[in-house]
Amino acid sequence: MHRLIAPIVFSTVMIIGAGITLTLYDGAEQAREGRANDYASQLVDRVSLSLSQHFALLRATDAYFSASPTRIKRHRFAKMIKGVGLEENYPGMQGIGFAEAISPDQDADLNALLQRDYDDDVKTWPATDQSQRAVITLLAPLDARNKAAIGYDMHSEPVRREAIQKAYETGELVASGPVQLVQEITSVKQAGFLIYIRYLSEKARNQDTSLTEGTPVLMAQKPMRGLMYAPVRAGNLFTYALEKKKPLPIAISVHDLDDKSRPLFISPRYDEKELYSSQVTRVIDVAGRKWVLDIRVRPSTKLSIQEMAPYAALSIFTLLAAMLAWIIHSQLRAVQTAHRLHELTQKNLSEKDLLLQEMKHRIKNSIARILAMARQTAHHSDSLEGFSESFMARLQAMANAQDALTRSHWQRADLEQLLTRELAQVLGDNHFEGMISGPKIELDESMVQAFALTFHELATNALKYSNVAQDNTALKVTWKVDGKGKERMLTLVWQERSQVPVEVPSHKGFGTKLIDANIRGELRGSIERRYGANGLLVLIKVPINNEMTRSAR
């Protein structure tokens, strides 16, 4: 469970940080949307202001035209329009003009009027099958573009005709749908639209004649009916709105809601969406038409505090979570180390107590064994010198066993090394090659003590009763391991060769009793002595476990 604390703390802090980061991110998104809406509102305000100025000028021109007692000639009209400064004050407006309402059978009279005013071969165009015309007779300023529009019958074209008829019916300002102005005579063309307002002379209003009836064209009389209008280049209008005073970091696409076939304006690079961070759509009303403005806003070149806050918060909480997790992990490791150290100390103390108890037990057993050996040796010794010699030899055998165990840290002692040490002590430092053989076997503590005294007694008897003192080949010791699992048995054969027959002793001496006590009592094994004409054979069998054998390979 402790391992999960640091990840839990890290996850908790990161969840809190993620929540705060998302909140700040939402705030930044709202700020970004607010920025986009602000730019969209600025654009709409600029376009609306320009259009309202266009409308006001068109109404003023209509009032001026209506107030004139006679027909206004083009020079007078041009002088009036020049004074308002169209190009400087009315962006996008190509000019202001008048279109006179006539019937097709009055074309000749109107053509004569046009040729008189413009001194050129100007006439009404194009041919039409409509019962009424709306022919441009005045348009100022009369530059090359506008001159190309003189005599044009706007009623002949469906989009213009729809707006004209609506203006006749309502008497209000009416904007047309998107068109290409007849003034677009250069290779670079823009989409445009027209703004109309109905004109009726006082006489026409009093007579209340139908507008579809032909109107007589009299050279000296003012027109009875027609339209004041303004052609507007949409590209110039929106370019001015985007770049007026302080340029707006946006791109736009504008189309008429009821006529999407011809966009009014599209900014350069509008389609490169990767350049923009927000998009806003606005719909504005323009003299009875609805325009849809799709506005794309470029991201700010400077990061604001609100935009930086989510990233800063995420970085801070990530660092904080990592630091807290590391601190908690370090503290937990320190606590675990302290616990392990405490456990190790307690274990060492327990092992120390156990070792002391085991040492006391072993010392007690060794002393008891030495006392018993001393009593038995004394009981079977004829003199003090014999006792001393026999007791010291047996005591040395025990010492050899202790030394073998000490070398292996009281774990195991090798059977061959133990046997070789005892033979060397009793028989002298002879070479025992060929005398002993068997697999590698390690004896535990109890077996080492028992076999050490057993080998000592057997070697002592061999020295007394066999030819081993004169010929080291007179003694042969072999051993092997039989059986499997828990039934494994160590079989050791001690064979002495003698020149004289060896008879069965009439009574058991202390050495024989000591051997029997070690093999049968201590090790729970068996021992068999075979006396023969050529020597003695001792067969010892002792049960062993798997850990005591390591066969030589």
Side-chain angles (χ1 to χ4, degrees), residues 195-210:
I195 307 169
Y196 296 104
I197 185 169
R198 183 184 68 185
Y199 164 78
L200 289 177
S201 67
E202 185 176 355
K203 180 179 179 180
R205 286 194 295 270
N206 293 335
Q207 290 179 352
D208 193 24
T209 57
S210 173

Side-chain angles (χ1 to χ4, degrees), residues 110 130 138 283 408 417 422 496 505 520 530 534:
L110 187 60
Q130 298 293 315
L138 290 175
V283 178
S408 64
Q417 292 180 0
E422 292 301 328
E496 302 173 8
R520 291 175 178 158
R530 299 175 185 175
N534 296 322

Side-chain angles (χ1 to χ4, degrees), residues 128-147:
T128 181
D129 57 358
Q130 298 293 315
S131 62
Q132 184 177 346
R133 286 186 181 273
V135 180
I136 301 173
T137 58
L138 290 175
L139 186 57
L142 194 63
D143 55 17
R145 287 179 179 275
N146 286 339
K147 191 173 182 179

Side-chain angles (χ1 to χ4, degrees), residues 198-236:
R198 183 184 68 185
Y199 164 78
L200 289 177
S201 67
E202 185 176 355
K203 180 179 179 180
R205 286 194 295 270
N206 293 335
Q207 290 179 352
D208 193 24
T209 57
S210 173
L211 292 174
T212 58
E213 295 178 1
T215 303
V217 180
L218 302 175
M219 295 294 185
Q221 293 180 351
K222 63 184 299 185
M224 292 185 65
R225 55 180 61 86
L227 300 141
M228 300 302 304
Y229 87 103
V232 182
R233 302 185 81 199
N236 290 355

Side-chain angles (χ1 to χ4, degrees), residues 484-545:
K484 296 181 180 180
K486 296 182 180 180
E487 298 180 357
R488 295 171 67 82
M489 187 72 67
L490 169 63
T491 301
L492 186 141
V493 179
W494 179 287
Q495 188 173 5
E496 302 173 8
R497 190 174 68 253
S498 175
Q499 297 294 332
V500 296
V502 180
E503 298 180 355
V504 179
S506 58
H507 68 282
K508 290 184 178 181
F510 174 67
T512 302
K513 293 180 180 179
L514 183 60
I515 292 172
D516 290 347
N518 285 324
I519 299 301
R520 291 175 178 158
E522 184 76 17
L523 303 182
R524 298 181 182 181
S526 64
I527 182 170
E528 180 184 353
R529 298 175 180 84
R530 299 175 185 175
Y531 301 93
N534 296 322
L536 172 67
L537 184 143
V538 180
L539 181 64
I540 298 174
K541 294 185 177 182
V542 176
I544 60 172
N545 54 45

Side-chain angles (χ1 to χ4, degrees), residues 96-113:
I96 293 182
F98 174 73
E100 189 164 350
I102 65 170
S103 61
D105 57 4
Q106 295 175 309
D107 284 353
D109 292 339
L110 187 60
N111 288 340
L113 178 65

Side-chain angles (χ1 to χ4, degrees), residues 148-358:
I150 298 299
Y152 177 66
D153 176 16
M154 291 187 288
H155 198 273
S156 64
E157 194 272 320
V159 176
R160 292 173 173 84
R161 181 167 61 247
E162 179 184 358
I164 290 171
Q165 290 174 349
K166 187 176 181 181
Y168 283 155
E169 293 169 1
T170 63
E172 301 294 334
L173 282 170
V174 175
S176 74
V179 296
Q180 179 175 303
L181 302 176
V182 292
Q183 287 93 332
E184 297 297 331
I185 58 176
T186 62
S187 59
V188 179
K189 303 182 186 303
Q190 296 183 13
F193 62 98
L194 301 109
I195 307 169
Y196 296 104
I197 185 169
R198 183 184 68 185
Y199 164 78
L200 289 177
S201 67
E202 185 176 355
K203 180 179 179 180
R205 286 194 295 270
N206 293 335
Q207 290 179 352
D208 193 24
T209 57
S210 173
L211 292 174
T212 58
E213 295 178 1
T215 303
V217 180
L218 302 175
M219 295 294 185
Q221 293 180 351
K222 63 184 299 185
M224 292 185 65
R225 55 180 61 86
L227 300 141
M228 300 302 304
Y229 87 103
V232 182
R233 302 185 81 199
N236 290 355
L237 173 68
F238 287 104
T239 300
Y240 178 82
L242 291 172
E243 298 178 357
K244 177 184 177 182
K245 296 179 181 178
K246 183 179 179 181
L248 299 177
I250 61 178
I252 61 173
S253 172
V254 185
H255 64 271
D256 189 281
L257 184 62
D258 297 325
D259 185 1
K260 300 179 181 179
S261 61
R262 182 192 293 271
L264 282 164
F265 177 76
I266 298 179
S267 296
R269 309 187 72 179
Y270 171 82
D271 292 330
E272 299 179 29
K273 296 182 179 180
E274 66 277 3
L275 298 178
Y276 309 99
S277 59
S278 304
Q279 183 167 355
V280 181
T281 300
R282 293 292 178 87
V283 178
I284 61 174
D285 184 82
V286 181
R289 307 288 300 188
K290 291 189 181 299
W291 289 355
V292 179
L293 281 66
D294 290 324
I295 304 166
R296 292 180 178 175
V297 183
R298 289 190 291 272
S300 176
T301 56
K302 296 181 180 179
L303 286 176
S304 65
I305 295 177
Q306 286 180 315
E307 291 175 325
M308 294 175 60
Y311 304 101
L314 182 61
S315 301
I316 291 172
F317 275 98
T318 301
L319 180 61
L320 178 62
M323 289 180 61
L324 288 175
W326 179 79
I327 291 172
I328 291 173
H329 178 70
S330 300
Q331 292 295 324
L332 289 175
R333 288 191 62 184
V335 171
Q336 291 173 356
T337 301
H339 286 168
R340 285 197 297 268
L341 183 60
H342 177 72
E343 292 173 357
L344 184 60
T345 302
Q346 294 298 321
K347 181 179 179 181
N348 289 338
L349 290 175
S350 299
E351 290 179 351
K352 180 180 179 181
D353 291 340
L354 180 63
L355 183 60
L356 289 174
Q357 293 296 329
E358 184 178 356

Side-chain angles (χ1 to χ4, degrees), residues 368-436:
R369 179 174 289 180
I370 291 172
L371 290 174
M373 190 169 58
R375 285 194 300 270
Q376 293 297 325
T377 304
H379 179 73
H380 292 84
S381 298
D382 298 331
S383 63
L384 181 60
E385 182 180 354
F387 166 77
S388 178
E389 181 180 355
S390 179
F391 180 72
M392 290 302 295
R394 287 168 178 158
L395 195 62
Q396 184 62 46
M398 289 184 64
N400 291 339
Q402 296 297 321
D403 181 62
L405 287 171
T406 302
R407 291 174 183 273
S408 64
H409 303 286
W410 293 84
Q411 298 294 322
R412 297 280 187 269
D414 184 70
L415 173 62
E416 183 177 354
Q417 292 180 0
L418 183 64
L419 176 59
T420 302
R421 186 184 292 268
E422 292 301 328
L423 292 177
Q425 178 187 351
V426 175
L427 303 179
D429 191 11
N430 297 327
H431 297 288
F432 301 105
E433 289 83 353
M435 294 178 59
I436 58 178

